Amino acid sequence: MARKKKVEFEQALQELETLVQQLEQGDLSLEASLSAFEQGIALARECQQTLSDAEQRVHLVLEQNGQVSKPPFQDDI
């Protein structure tokens, strides 16, 4: 089933988690399992693309004068 509109990352991730739970329960028919799997793959790809886009945005924000400046991180104690 094709998705007609782009959903928020959090909503897509929640839908993916729900599909995984349904598949893990093993109560779905073969056709329903295949449909859930197809939806899950589409959601996973959408989430991955959203994460890649966010990573690129962060990289652009941190880039200064052609060099990437890394923000300081506190060491875990």
Side-chain angles (χ1 to χ4, degrees):
M1 177 179 201
R3 298 181 67 80
K4 296 187 181 204
K5 66 177 187 172
K6 192 171 186 176
V7 296
E8 295 293 322
F9 174 79
E10 292 81 5
Q11 182 181 352
L13 189 58
Q14 180 60 45
E15 289 178 29
L16 182 57
E17 289 174 357
T18 299
L19 287 171
V20 169
Q21 289 173 353
Q22 290 173 348
L23 287 167
E24 286 178 342
Q25 288 175 354
D27 296 332
L28 299 176
S29 68
L30 178 59
E31 275 303 312
S33 294
L34 287 172
S35 178
F37 179 75
E38 290 172 342
Q39 291 173 1
I41 292 297
L43 285 167
R45 288 179 178 157
E46 186 176 322
C47 288
Q48 183 60 45
Q49 184 60 52
T50 301
L51 289 172
S52 292
D53 292 347
E55 184 178 16
Q56 289 176 355
R57 287 179 62 190
V58 168
H59 181 73
L60 289 174
V61 168
L62 295 176
E63 193 173 84
Q64 294 177 1
N65 297 326
Q67 296 181 357
V68 175
S69 63
K70 296 182 181 180
F73 290 99
Q74 291 182 337
D75 292 335
D76 293 330
I77 299 177

